[in-house]
């Protein structure tokens, strides 16, 4: 097999093995946790307490909310409800000391919901709560919506949109699993059962393997909800078929596209999360907005997740927990949402992980500069690795695969994903058009340049000495070091390569840190269970480099002084035997091992979340660590399928001997392992920093000309570097 063929096979195998998923718990806009999703805002007086179950009371959407009233059973038939001074009659279900149901008809904006004794306030029993209702089309807290914006409902099999917000009518379809294992349409759900209908076990009960798929739009996103159902049972769906656990999948890659995205009704049935969860009764949600290639805006992603959870809770009930699942760009969304909007996800499986969009963009931007330099100035693999840090061809793959994410025009064939190319930015023909950069779709976070209207960008490489560590170790010469750093250049605001290095301003950098666009390990990441699985293929230039797991571990330790809520697993890519002279039988055997480990990861996280949900103690880092399942420890698996216990590190240990970690260009320039310095503080050039290498007098003059303001001082924090200032920020 050729290197290119192996690369393609490795990438495909990685995405198959590391699919994507997620689930309740809300906090208010100061980050306070309301009992992990079971006490999200309440008002009470007398002998009752009124609660909002479906989401934060200040962020209600769509005109309805699931509520609960805690009151002694003898009061249940004596309570009446009032909304904005008007008596209403919601359908409430009584159980123990609790009434639960959905209140509808909320007006846009503030609403007052009251519960009173039917004999009036004089009876001494009442409660009230304020609900702030927002449109189901958004926005809620993410700020002004992206424009222009094209709909994709027709391409997703949902017909023409009903309005400019790309809405469609909600619809339901049913599928069943046949005894052959295939999922096929069930056109008449209430009619005679197919002869080949399979069954499955949910919480010890045998139920028909029939899946209800709901399709609709929320917040301009196309969603699909899949859950086991018995359509012949009474009611809208059969709650006995649902185990009250919810998976939310997040999609891959990174890009900036000005449209709704596309999925099909079967998309929710064919991913890894469905294979892992549907048969055991988990509900599953996918959404176009939660594919990072379409939407690399984690604030919008968090908002959409909150709204979809709210809809799910209102229609299906409160889950015990919500688990996030997704690889690569899907891991980015999970990490950022868990940090910045804690409580939306109770546990995350960020596989093939990168920590965030803009920290990772440093490596992508550096790789494009480095790759273009080496295309013009060919060098050996060893020299390239000395500067790039990554294994052979990784930077080349970054350049070709994601380098255009900072290009305002989107690059060849990019065009912001718009069908109407007239809407795309052009510096001369359409300077006010849609700009296809990751910062422009995050303009609500970074702000805009008042002179140009372009989003501010936290991208900087001033003072970086590319290849510094390799120079000290004698892997490159002073001539090679000086020539590359002299000619590496940077980017203009349109993402075009220029001779000058890129410069970020202090205010934009401060916003990147304090508003959570960079993962620093704090916020909700301090107390959320995290399990990573990474299929290693760096030998063939896989961009999903394993140093990211170590980087995330270092961030957690730096922010919290502990990282016992994180588990790191490294697996061999099933295609590796072909590269090492093996056979197709070796690939099949290793594929079975990898699939088994991924299933084990899912089951362990499920057990971890089950334990947390059942434990009445307040949620805390100590509780998360105490209830972590014993097998949930750091490990890797060798080509024979043997598990090896090993702590993730950059060097040393058995797992690194099997699966060496490439480093980022910034790390081999001396940056800390947290790789979180967006712009370094500078210091004067000091000859002692290069020992044992010495520059000649002419080379010293040249070095001073390359770095006239000084070189990076990584002993100091980055410019404007600061912790996350708060969670649940509104824009």
């Amino acid at each position: 097999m050729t290197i290119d063929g192996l690369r393609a096979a490795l990438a495909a195998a990685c995405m198959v093995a590391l699919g994507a998923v997620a689930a309740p718990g809300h906090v208010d806009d100061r980050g306070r946790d309301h009992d992990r999703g079971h006490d999200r805002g309440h008002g009470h007086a007398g002998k009752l307490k009124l609660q909002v179950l479906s989401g934060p009371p200040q962020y209600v959407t769509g005109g309805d909310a699931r509520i609960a009233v805690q009151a002694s059973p003898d009061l249940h038939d004596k309570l009446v409800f009032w909304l904005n001074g008007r008596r209403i009659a919601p359908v409430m279900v009584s159980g123990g000391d609790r009434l639960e149901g959905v209140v509808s008809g909320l007006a846009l904006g503030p609403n007052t919901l009251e519960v009173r004794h039917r004999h009036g306030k004089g009876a001494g029993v009442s409660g009230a709560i304020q609900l702030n209702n927002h449109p189901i089309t958004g926005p809620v807290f993410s700020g002004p919506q992206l424009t222009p914006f094209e709909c994709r409902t027709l391409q997703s099999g949902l017909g023409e949109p009903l309005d400019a917000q790309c809405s469609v009518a909600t619809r339901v379809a049913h599928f069943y699993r046949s005894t052959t294992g295939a999922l096929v349409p069930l056109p008449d759900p209430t009619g005679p059962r197919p002869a080949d209908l399979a069954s499955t076990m949910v919480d010890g009960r045998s139920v028909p393997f029939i899946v209800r798929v709901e399709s609709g739009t929320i917040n301009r996103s196309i969603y699909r909800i899949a859950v086991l159902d018995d359509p012949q049972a009474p009611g809208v769906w059969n709650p006995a078929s649902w185990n009250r656990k919810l998976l939310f999948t997040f999609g891959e890659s990174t890009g900036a596209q000005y449209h709704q995205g596309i999925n099909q009704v079967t998309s929710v049935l064919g991913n890894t999360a469905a294979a892992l969860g549907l048969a055991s009764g988990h509900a599953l949600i996918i959404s176009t907005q939660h594919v990072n290639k379409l939407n690399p805006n984690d604030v919008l992603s968090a908002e959409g997740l909150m709204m979809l959870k709210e809809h799910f809770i209102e229609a299906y009930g409160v889950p015990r927990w919500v688990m996030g699942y997704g690889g690569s760009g899907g891991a980015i969304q999970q990490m950022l949402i868990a940090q910045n909007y804690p409580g939306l996800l109770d546990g995350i499986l960020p596989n093939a992980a990168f920590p965030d969009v803009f920290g990772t963009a440093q490596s992508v931007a550096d790789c494009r500069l480095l790759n273009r330099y080496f295309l013009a100035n060919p060098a050996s693999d060893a020299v390239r690795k000395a500067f790039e840090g990554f294994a052979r061809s990784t930077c080349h793959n970054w350049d070709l695969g994601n380098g255009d994410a900072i290009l305002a025009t989107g690059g060849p064939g990019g065009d912001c994903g718009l069908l109407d190319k007239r809407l795309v930015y052009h510096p001369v023909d359409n300077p006010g058009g849609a700009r296809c950069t990751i910062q422009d779709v995050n303009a609500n976070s970074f702000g805009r340049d008042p002179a140009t209207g372009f989003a501010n960008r936290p991208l900087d490489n001033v003072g970086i000495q590319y290849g510094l560590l390799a120079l000290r170790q004698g892997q490159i010469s002073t001539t090679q070091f000086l020539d590359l750093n002299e000619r590496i250049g940077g980017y203009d605001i349109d993402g075009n390569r220029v001779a000058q290095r890129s410069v970020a301003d202090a205010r934009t950098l401060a916003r990147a840190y304090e508003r959570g666009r960079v993962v620093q390990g704090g916020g909700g990441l301090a107390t959320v269970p995290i399990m990573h699985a990474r299929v290693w293929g760096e030998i063939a230039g896989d961009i999903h480099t394993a140093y990211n797991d170590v980087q995330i571990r270092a961030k957690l330790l730096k922010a919290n002084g502990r990282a016992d809520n994180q588990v790191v697993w490294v697996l061999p890519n099933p295609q590796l035997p072909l590269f090492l002279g093996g056979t197709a039988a070796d690939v099949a055997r290793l594929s079975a091992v990898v699939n088994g480990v991924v299933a084990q990861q899912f089951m362990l996280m499920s057990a971890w979340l089950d334990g947390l949900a059942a434990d009445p103690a307040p949620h805390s880092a100590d509780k998360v660590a105490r209830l972590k399942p014993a097998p949930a420890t750091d490990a890797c698996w060798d080509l024979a399928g043997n598990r090896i216990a090993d702590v993730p590190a950059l060097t040393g240990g058995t797992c690194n001997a099997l699966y060496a970690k490439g480093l980022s260009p910034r790390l081999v320039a001396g940056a800390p392992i947290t790789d979180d310095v967006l712009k370094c503080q500078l210091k004067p050039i000091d000859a002692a920093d290069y020992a044992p290498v010495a520059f000649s007098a002419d080379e010293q003059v040249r070095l001073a000309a390359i770095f006239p303001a000084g070189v990076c001082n990584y002993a100091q924090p980055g410019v404007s570097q600061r912790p996350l200032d708060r969670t649940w920020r509104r824009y």
Side-chain angles (χ1 to χ4, degrees):
M1 176 177 283
T2 66
I3 285 289
D4 287 341
L6 179 60
R7 271 191 216 112
L10 289 176
C14 179
M15 295 315 297
V16 168
L18 297 180
V21 328
H26 278 296
V27 295
D28 63 20
D29 56 4
R30 292 181 176 84
R32 294 190 295 255
D33 193 341
H34 290 284
D35 195 24
R36 303 296 294 163
H38 297 288
D39 187 8
R40 305 183 185 99
H42 62 269
H44 59 88
K47 300 178 181 178
L48 62 80
K49 182 167 69 171
L50 175 61
Q51 303 168 285
V52 183
L53 302 176
S54 50
Q58 69 272 35
Y59 293 145
V60 175
T61 66
D64 46 17
R66 181 174 285 274
I67 65 164
V69 180
Q70 290 185 343
S72 59
D74 61 296
L75 288 174
H76 287 189
D77 62 350
K78 302 177 179 64
L79 298 177
V80 293
F81 294 82
W82 293 76
L83 178 62
N84 300 326
R86 176 176 57 88
R87 184 167 172 177
I88 59 174
V91 176
M92 304 295 289
V93 177
S94 176
D97 63 352
R98 182 184 181 97
L99 283 168
E100 182 177 325
V102 175
V103 171
S104 302
L106 276 65
L108 286 178
N111 295 261
T112 300
L113 177 66
E114 297 177 89
V115 180
R116 306 175 188 170
H117 195 282
R118 68 189 180 195
H119 293 152
K121 292 183 178 180
V125 177
S126 66
I129 192 167
Q130 296 297 312
L131 304 174
N132 196 22
N133 179 43
H134 303 76
I136 197 65
T137 54
V140 182
F141 55 71
S142 65
Q145 292 179 319
L146 191 69
T147 58
F149 193 80
E150 292 181 341
C151 302
R152 295 291 187 269
T153 56
L154 188 62
Q155 295 90 329
S156 298
L158 297 172
E160 295 286 353
L162 300 177
D163 54 33
Q165 295 291 71
C166 304
S167 305
V168 296
T170 303
R171 63 206 66 190
V172 171
H174 283 83
F175 297 80
Y176 76 96
R177 174 166 288 177
S178 75
T179 50
T180 65
L183 277 166
V184 295
L186 183 63
D188 184 8
T190 60
R193 292 286 168 80
D196 60 344
L197 171 63
S199 61
T200 189
M201 298 297 293
V202 176
D203 295 336
R205 304 182 310 275
S206 178
V207 300
F209 204 131
I210 298 173
V211 183
R212 180 184 193 268
V213 179
E214 176 188 328
S215 302
T217 52
I218 288 178
N219 206 19
R220 307 201 303 184
S221 178
I222 297 170
Y223 72 86
R224 317 280 182 170
I225 298 174
V227 63
L228 290 179
D229 182 24
D230 185 350
Q232 294 183 353
V236 176
W237 68 290
N238 181 16
S241 299
W242 177 39
N243 64 11
R244 309 200 75 81
K245 302 171 187 179
L246 177 60
L247 313 179
F248 200 103
T249 66
F250 295 86
E252 71 289 345
S253 195
T254 296
Q257 301 188 46
Y258 287 66
H259 64 85
Q260 186 178 30
I262 299 171
N263 65 28
Q264 306 299 328
V265 67
T266 54
S267 301
V268 72
L269 303 175
N271 59 30
T272 305
L276 292 170
L278 274 180
S280 54
H282 294 64
L284 176 64
I285 300 179
I286 67 168
S287 158
T288 54
Q289 190 178 80
H290 295 90
V291 177
N292 208 57
K293 184 176 181 62
L294 175 80
N295 169 41
N297 178 339
D298 65 282
V299 180
L300 178 59
S301 183
E303 177 181 87
L305 170 57
M306 180 195 72
M307 295 173 73
L308 282 164
K309 279 184 57 180
E310 178 192 15
H311 169 72
F312 182 91
I313 291 170
E314 290 162 358
Y316 298 85
V318 179
R320 295 177 63 193
W321 47 253
V322 185
M323 183 197 302
Y325 191 97
S328 190
I332 286 175
Q333 290 202 23
Q334 292 177 76
M335 295 293 297
L336 288 166
I337 291 173
Q339 173 182 268
N340 300 323
Y341 293 89
L344 285 175
L345 297 170
D346 296 308
I348 59 175
L349 297 179
N351 293 330
F354 302 104
D356 50 56
V357 172
F358 288 94
T360 304
Q362 292 187 131
S363 293
V364 180
D366 287 343
C367 274
R368 170 160 284 192
L369 295 175
L370 291 163
N371 188 53
R372 301 302 171 91
Y373 172 85
F374 285 119
L375 288 175
N377 304 275
S380 67
D381 289 347
V383 168
R384 289 197 62 152
K385 190 175 189 303
F387 285 103
E388 296 172 352
F390 296 127
R392 178 182 184 271
S393 73
T394 301
C395 266
H396 172 79
N397 293 339
W398 267 130
D399 179 8
L400 298 184
N402 295 83
D404 289 340
I406 63 168
L407 198 60
T409 59
D415 299 331
C416 304
L418 289 165
L419 299 177
D420 187 350
K421 308 306 181 187
R422 298 170 300 175
L423 301 174
V424 180
Y425 167 84
H426 185 277
V428 176
D429 298 337
N430 191 21
R435 293 171 56 83
C436 315
T437 74
I438 53 175
Q439 70 266 14
D440 278 281
V441 298
N442 284 273
N444 294 344
S445 288
F446 296 121
R448 294 186 180 274
D449 183 332
T452 64
F454 302 160
N456 299 318
R457 183 183 66 183
L459 186 63
D460 190 286
N461 67 340
V462 173
I464 294 175
Q465 301 183 85
Y466 292 99
L468 175 62
L469 300 187
L471 174 69
R472 291 174 179 166
Q473 295 166 6
Q475 298 172 9
I476 54 175
S477 68
T478 55
T479 299
Q480 291 169 318
F481 174 80
L482 292 169
D483 187 72
L484 184 141
N485 279 285
E486 188 175 55
R487 300 167 61 186
I488 192 68
Y491 300 94
D492 67 15
I493 194 59
D494 285 349
N496 301 306
R497 289 184 302 121
V498 294
Q500 300 77 29
R501 295 201 178 199
S502 307
V503 180
D505 68 274
R507 185 179 182 186
T508 302
L509 293 164
R511 288 174 172 174
Y513 288 115
E514 67 190 14
R515 296 184 176 185
R517 303 292 75 75
V518 177
V519 160
Q520 299 189 73
L525 284 174
T527 57
V528 67
I530 307 169
M531 290 190 71
H532 304 277
R534 182 177 302 279
V535 171
W536 185 88
E538 294 181 42
I539 193 172
D542 186 358
I543 61 173
H544 300 92
T545 44
Y547 96 95
N548 285 288
D549 297 328
V550 185
Q551 177 193 176
I552 293 169
R553 172 68 54 87
K555 289 173 183 282
L556 292 168
L557 290 169
K558 179 181 177 182
N560 311 311
R562 62 192 296 177
D564 45 5
N565 61 321
Q566 183 205 30
V567 179
V568 175
W569 288 357
V570 179
L571 312 170
N573 194 294
Q575 299 296 318
L576 281 177
L578 297 181
F579 186 74
L580 301 173
T583 66
D586 297 321
V587 172
R589 176 186 51 78
L590 198 53
S591 295
V593 170
V594 169
N595 290 336
V597 173
V598 170
Q600 182 187 9
Q601 178 203 31
F602 173 78
M603 290 185 289
L604 281 176
M605 178 58 77
S606 295
W608 199 348
L609 296 179
D610 284 345
L612 289 169
D615 192 302
H619 192 74
S620 67
D622 287 339
K623 177 179 174 179
V624 169
R626 173 171 56 85
L627 294 174
K628 181 167 66 174
T633 56
D634 300 326
C636 69
W637 278 256
D638 64 18
L639 290 176
N642 299 309
R643 175 178 173 141
I644 301 165
D646 204 355
V647 176
L650 290 184
T651 59
T654 305
C655 292
N656 275 325
L658 290 170
Y659 311 120
K661 296 180 178 68
L663 305 179
S664 74
R666 305 257 167 146
L667 289 186
V668 294
I673 179 56
T674 49
D675 211 3
D676 54 1
V677 176
L678 298 179
K679 178 180 177 66
C680 64
Q681 296 194 51
L682 301 177
K683 64 177 183 177
I685 295 172
D686 184 348
D689 290 342
Y690 305 94
V693 174
F695 291 99
S696 68
D698 288 343
E699 288 175 329
Q700 292 178 40
V701 171
R702 190 177 176 190
L703 184 64
I706 295 171
F707 300 105
V711 296
C712 284
N713 180 8
Y714 284 119
Q716 297 294 320
V719 174
S720 297
Q721 187 169 3
R722 60 198 65 189
L724 181 73
D725 70 348
R726 65 180 180 270
T727 58
W728 282 83
R729 176 186 284 272
R730 183 170 187 167
Y731 293 85

